[in-house]
Every structure is written in structure tokens, then in C-alpha cells.
Amino acid sequence: GTYPLTSGLVVVQSRAMAGLVAAAASPHAREAATNISVSQHCVLTAGTSSQDHQNHCGRRAEHVDCCDFAEMDACTVRKATRFSTMVSTCSTTTVDWQSGVEESGEDSDSDCDGSLAGQVWLLSQEPGGSRKVQEALEVAPSDMAREALAEELHGHVAKAMRCPHANHVLQKCIAVMRPESLQFIVDELSAREGLVVQAAKHRYACRVVQHTLNKCSASQSAGLVEALLRDAAALACHAIGHYTLEQLFELGTEDQRYRLVRIVERNMRSIGLSTPGGGVVRTVLGSAAPEDKIWIARAVLQHPEVLLFLADQPQGNHAVVLVLQTLQDHELSRARGLLLQHVDKLKSSKFGHVVAKLLVSADGPCA
């Protein structure tokens, strides 16, 4: 019957493949492995029907001979040789590493810091190496050990914070090290004029800036904050930079927060007509002092196009809600009147419906 023969074929094929892989480990045995495979093929195909032979080889039986099959197996041997070489190389590397650990009399965990000495910056720029350095910083036995690892990053902050892998190492430094040990990051961000602003706009570097502001004291980060405030109007309109500005408003000193409110108020038209700016206006209206909220709300109302634009934006819609909750009397009536002229459009809008719902709600603060 066909079924028993097919079952036997699978077994013999498996054994043949095992022989090929074993043979591939020795280049001198290639020819023997190919001959073995050819012999097995002849044995298997003898006594089988043309259809069974076609099913086995994937071609018509009358056009198949053992030379054709030998070429197929030669290709398999070449593939097996490459696989064997890869396995051999990896195995040798692992064995050598293990033997090195055994000879030193230390395990990988206890030797973690020492094994990275002199390689921290190089490893930080690679995916696997970045994870190793982060782990070493995490498990380092003391602050001094962490500082020794971080010392190899000195002079590389500007490049590291832009690297998709090394930026995580800097973030780990900020997370596990003392604020005073992070002075090298602050210094290098301040070393070149405009660098911290550029970093705040970068998709990786912005994380380093934000975590640094969060971890370091106000006096330590004062220079960075001053540089950010000088370009606050531009950062507020930037797709990435506005996040740093919003964090600055939440973490800054009272004086820094007041200055930021005045910057937003004076530049309301340019900030309010940008999609990222809606998030900044919302943050200021949500966290500022009561008197500052009124000034910001009035600045929005002063530019009707800003009010209408924000009402239809992902963050701006919530900013408009806060404007309506802040204004009173005739100023509130004016804002409502401007928005009600476009209420139908707002109702059908993905973001504007939030404002429309408040406008028509009998329980709303502006009803």
C-alpha cells in the first residue's frame, strides 16, 4: 500500500537529513554524504509508482534521475554547512565565555560592572549592549559603581541622547543616580547654545531633557530652564517640543511658571493656531493660578479665530472648555455666541463635539 511506504519515507528522510547535517560539520565528508543521500533516494524510488515518485521529488518521474537528486542534496549540504558553522561559532563563543567566568572564579552577575569597563559607550549604541549597560547601572552595588560606569558617557551626551539605544542608557542614569552625579548631563546640555532646545524637539533627546528637569533641583537645572524659556513660543508650536514646555509649567518654580504664562498670553495667536499649542494652552489653563487663568482665557477670546480653531483640535477642545469655565458675564456670552455660530459643524466634528455638548447642555457652566 502507499501509506506504509510514505511513512517509511519520512523516517528515512529524517535520518538522511541528520546525516547531512552531521556530514556538513566536516567539509571532507560532503561527497560521502551526497552519495549516501543518492543511494537512499534510489532505494526509496525503486518499486514506487510514477505518481509516488513525483510526489516525493516534486517533478515528473520520467525526467528524474539520481544526478538531479544529488544536485538537490548538494544544495542541502551547503545550507547545512552554513547552519553547522553558525551553531559551532555560537557554541564556541558561549563555551569560551563560560570558561572565562569559571577561570576568574566569579559569576556573571558579580562581574557585571568589571566586564563592561572601557566598553560602556560602545555598548550603549547597540540594542543588546544598551540593555546590558542599563542592567549594570540597575544592579550596581553602590553610587560610586554607577558613577564609574556613567563616567564613560562623559563627552558623549549630545550624541547619546539622539541615539535610539544610548538615550535609554542616559535615562537609566537619571533614574538610578543621585542628582549631583547627573551634573555632566546638565553641563553638556548647556555647553552649546541652543542645544537643549534642539534636544527638546528631538524624538529621543526630549526624554533626556524631560527626565533631567524632573530629577534635578531647580538651582541645578536653572540654566536649562532659561534656555527653554527663551524659545518657549517656538517650542509651544512644535510637535515634540511642546511636551517639554508643558512639563516645565508643571514642575517649574513659581517665577518660571509666571513667565511662561506671560509668554503664552503674548503669543496666543501663533500658539493657539497650532495643533501642539492647544496642549500648552490647556495645561496652562488647567494648572495656573486663578488670576492667570483669566488672562489666558481673555487672550483666547481676543482672537476669535483662535477660539474656533482650538474648539476643533484634539487638545484645544478641552482648552476651550476651560475657557468657557473661566470667563464670566459678558465675556462668557461673547465666547458662547462665537461658538454657537458653528455649533452644527462642531457637533459633527471628531473633537468639536466635546465643545458643542457643553454649549447646548442645560447643566453646563455657560448655560
Side-chain angles (χ1 to χ4, degrees):
T2 304
Y3 180 76
L5 179 60
T6 304
S7 300
L9 174 62
V10 173
V11 174
V12 175
Q13 265 192 309
S14 299
R15 293 175 178 174
M17 188 60 192
L20 287 172
V21 174
S26 174
H28 301 289
R30 286 185 178 181
E31 183 177 356
T34 302
N35 292 336
I36 291 172
S37 179
V38 171
S39 300
Q40 289 171 336
H41 172 265
C42 295
V43 171
L44 287 170
T45 55
T48 62
S49 66
S50 295
Q51 184 61 40
D52 289 334
H53 188 272
Q54 180 180 349
N55 292 338
H56 173 56
C57 293
R59 62 184 72 182
R60 299 188 64 83
E62 57 268 24
H63 297 300
V64 178
D65 57 28
C66 291
C67 293
D68 291 329
F69 191 79
E71 291 176 0
M72 294 169 61
D73 278 357
C75 179
T76 304
V77 169
R78 286 194 296 272
K79 292 180 180 178
T81 301
R82 288 196 296 270
F83 176 78
S84 176
T85 302
M86 291 170 60
V87 173
S88 176
T89 301
C90 294
S91 299
T92 301
T93 302
T94 304
V95 170
D96 291 345
W97 176 80
Q98 290 177 338
S99 62
V101 172
E102 291 173 358
E103 290 175 2
S104 65
E106 299 176 358
D107 58 30
S108 59
D109 290 334
S110 62
D111 193 43
C112 188
D113 292 349
S115 65
L116 299 183
Q119 305 178 65
V120 172
W121 170 232
L122 181 64
L123 290 173
S124 296
Q125 301 172 73
E126 304 172 353
S130 173
R131 289 190 289 271
K132 289 181 180 178
V133 176
Q134 292 176 62
E135 181 181 0
L137 288 166
E138 186 76 41
V139 303
S142 65
D143 291 332
M144 185 177 296
R146 294 187 180 94
E147 292 170 6
L149 289 170
E151 187 175 358
E152 298 187 31
L153 299 174
H154 291 195
H156 301 293
V157 171
K159 185 175 181 180
M161 65 184 179
R162 290 178 169 87
C163 175
H165 312 298
N167 83 86
H168 294 289
V169 176
L170 287 180
Q171 290 184 68
K172 180 60 70 173
C173 288
I174 297 169
V176 301
M177 294 174 62
R178 299 174 296 177
E180 54 268 30
S181 300
L182 302 175
Q183 188 61 42
F184 76 98
I185 296 179
V186 175
D187 291 341
E188 293 187 38
L189 283 172
S190 307
R192 190 169 76 243
E193 186 176 356
L195 179 59
V196 67
V197 175
Q198 294 175 11
K201 296 178 180 180
H202 193 274
R203 59 176 177 168
Y204 301 138
C206 67
R207 307 168 185 170
V208 176
V209 175
Q210 292 167 23
H211 289 313
T212 300
L213 294 175
N214 186 45
K215 184 69 175 282
C216 295
S217 64
S219 59
Q220 189 177 10
S221 61
L224 299 180
V225 173
E226 286 300 317
L228 293 170
L229 286 175
R230 283 195 294 269
D231 281 301
L235 286 172
C237 302
H238 193 270
I240 297 175
H242 75 97
Y243 292 114
T244 299
L245 208 61
E246 290 171 29
Q247 184 190 44
L248 176 59
F249 186 80
E250 294 174 352
L251 300 175
T253 64
E254 183 177 350
D255 177 67
Q256 292 167 349
R257 288 158 58 90
Y258 174 81
R259 291 168 60 190
L260 187 53
V261 168
R262 299 281 81 83
I263 292 172
V264 174
E265 179 192 355
R266 290 194 300 266
N267 296 275
M268 179 55 71
R269 191 175 190 282
S270 60
I271 293 175
L273 290 178
S274 68
T275 299
V280 176
V281 176
R282 177 189 180 182
T283 299
V284 174
L285 282 170
S287 305
E291 59 274 17
D292 291 331
K293 291 182 181 181
I294 294 175
W295 286 109
I296 293 296
R298 287 174 175 172
V300 173
L301 183 59
Q302 185 178 354
H303 303 281
E305 67 275 21
V306 171
L307 181 68
L308 297 174
F309 178 82
L310 289 175
D312 196 24
Q313 297 299 308
Q315 294 295 322
N317 58 352
H318 296 290
V320 171
V321 169
L322 292 173
V323 168
L324 295 174
Q325 293 173 346
T326 302
L327 296 175
Q328 297 179 353
D329 302 329
H330 71 279
E331 291 177 326
L332 175 58
S333 299
R334 182 186 172 197
R336 279 178 50 82
L338 290 170
L339 292 168
L340 284 171
Q341 294 176 23
H342 303 271
V343 69
D344 291 334
K345 180 182 177 181
L346 292 173
K347 286 180 179 179
S348 61
S349 169
K350 179 179 180 181
F351 305 109
H353 73 90
V354 174
V355 176
K357 181 179 180 179
L358 183 60
L359 288 171
V360 301
S361 173
D363 299 326
C366 49

Short mmCIF file of all heavy atoms in Angstrom, two decimals, residues 7 13 32 114 117 142 184 230 336:
data_model
loop_
_atom_site.label_atom_id
_atom_site.label_comp_id
_atom_site.label_asym_id
_atom_site.label_seq_id
_atom_site.Cartn_x
_atom_site.Cartn_y
_atom_site.Cartn_z
N SER A 7 5.13 6.47 5.07
CA SER A 7 5.59 6.58 6.46
C SER A 7 7.07 6.25 6.55
O SER A 7 7.84 6.91 7.23
CB SER A 7 4.78 5.65 7.36
OG SER A 7 3.41 5.99 7.31
N GLN A 13 13.95 9.85 5.35
CA GLN A 13 14.33 11.21 5.02
C GLN A 13 14.90 11.92 6.25
O GLN A 13 15.89 12.65 6.14
CB GLN A 13 13.12 11.99 4.53
CG GLN A 13 12.98 12.00 3.03
CD GLN A 13 11.94 13.01 2.60
OE1 GLN A 13 10.83 12.99 3.12
NE2 GLN A 13 12.30 13.85 1.68
N ALA A 32 30.76 12.02 0.60
CA ALA A 32 30.19 10.79 1.14
C ALA A 32 28.73 10.99 1.50
O ALA A 32 27.89 10.13 1.25
CB ALA A 32 30.99 10.35 2.38
N GLY A 114 32.66 45.09 36.14
CA GLY A 114 34.01 44.94 35.65
C GLY A 114 34.07 44.53 34.19
O GLY A 114 34.95 44.98 33.45
N ALA A 117 33.76 47.55 31.81
CA ALA A 117 34.73 48.64 31.92
C ALA A 117 35.40 48.90 30.58
O ALA A 117 35.89 47.98 29.92
CB ALA A 117 35.77 48.30 32.98
N SER A 142 26.75 50.19 44.39
CA SER A 142 26.87 51.47 45.09
C SER A 142 26.75 52.63 44.11
O SER A 142 26.85 52.44 42.89
CB SER A 142 28.22 51.55 45.82
OG SER A 142 29.29 51.55 44.87
N PHE A 184 27.04 66.12 34.81
CA PHE A 184 27.68 66.04 33.49
C PHE A 184 26.64 66.14 32.37
O PHE A 184 26.92 66.69 31.30
CB PHE A 184 28.49 64.75 33.36
CG PHE A 184 27.70 63.49 33.13
CD1 PHE A 184 27.55 62.96 31.85
CD2 PHE A 184 27.10 62.82 34.19
CE1 PHE A 184 26.83 61.81 31.61
CE2 PHE A 184 26.38 61.65 33.97
CZ PHE A 184 26.24 61.15 32.68
N ARG A 230 13.55 81.03 26.70
CA ARG A 230 13.87 81.97 25.62
C ARG A 230 13.23 81.56 24.29
O ARG A 230 12.94 82.41 23.45
CB ARG A 230 15.39 82.09 25.47
CG ARG A 230 16.07 82.95 26.53
CD ARG A 230 17.47 83.33 26.13
NE ARG A 230 18.37 82.18 26.06
CZ ARG A 230 19.10 81.73 27.07
NH1 ARG A 230 19.04 82.36 28.26
NH2 ARG A 230 19.89 80.69 26.92
N ARG A 336 -19.58 82.25 23.97
CA ARG A 336 -20.65 81.33 23.59
C ARG A 336 -21.26 81.70 22.24
O ARG A 336 -21.52 80.85 21.40
CB ARG A 336 -21.76 81.35 24.66
CG ARG A 336 -21.47 80.49 25.89
CD ARG A 336 -22.60 80.62 26.91
NE ARG A 336 -23.91 80.42 26.31
CZ ARG A 336 -24.47 79.22 26.08
NH1 ARG A 336 -23.80 78.13 26.41
NH2 ARG A 336 -25.66 79.13 25.54
#
